[in-house]
């Protein structure tokens, strides 16, 4: 296990302490979990960027053009506000 001295703004430290207390865990556990979560998110974004760089927009649009124009299954509908935005395009 490694240690690292971390400087935080006072207000951030107070919020972190409160969050740790609310979750009934140590401040160290809270910060370690947040760091691990952030690293996981970063890794996922980097992976998606790599995958998108190798994608072909024309091929993707051709696949979408072949999909049938049918109503979605019950429960799969877009929210009303989303469909209103799409119809304005």
């Amino acid at each position: 296990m490694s240690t690292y001295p971390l400087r935080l703004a006072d207000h951030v430290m107070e919020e972190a302490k409160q969050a740790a207390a609310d979750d009934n865990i140590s401040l160290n556990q809270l910060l370690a979990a947040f760091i691990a979560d952030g690293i996981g998110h970063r890794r996922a974004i980097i992976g998606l960027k790599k995958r998108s760089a190798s994608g072909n927009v024309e091929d993707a649009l051709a696949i979408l053009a072949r999909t049938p124009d049918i109503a979605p299954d019950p429960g799969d509908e877009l929210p009303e506000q989303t469909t209103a935005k799409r119809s304005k395009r």
Side-chain angles (χ1 to χ4, degrees):
M1 181 132 351
S2 299
T3 60
Y4 180 82
L6 181 63
R7 293 184 185 151
L8 296 173
D10 291 339
H11 73 280
V12 173
M13 178 59 93
E14 289 306 313
E15 286 203 36
K17 285 179 181 178
Q18 185 61 53
D22 291 347
D23 292 351
N24 200 29
I25 60 173
S26 71
L27 180 61
N28 188 67
Q29 285 176 301
L30 178 86
L31 295 176
F34 283 168
I35 291 168
D37 190 46
I39 289 170
H41 280 45
R42 181 180 182 276
R43 188 180 305 127
I45 290 169
I46 289 170
L48 288 171
K49 284 181 179 179
K50 285 181 182 176
R51 288 185 64 192
S52 70
S54 65
N56 183 305
V57 174
E58 291 79 22
D59 287 349
L61 291 174
I63 291 168
L64 290 174
R66 293 193 310 258
T67 60
D69 189 17
I70 58 174
D73 292 339
D76 283 345
E77 303 90 352
L78 291 173
E80 196 60 42
Q81 63 209 43
T82 303
T83 54
K85 286 180 185 176
R86 295 181 124 215
S87 63
K88 290 181 182 178
R89 290 183 186 173

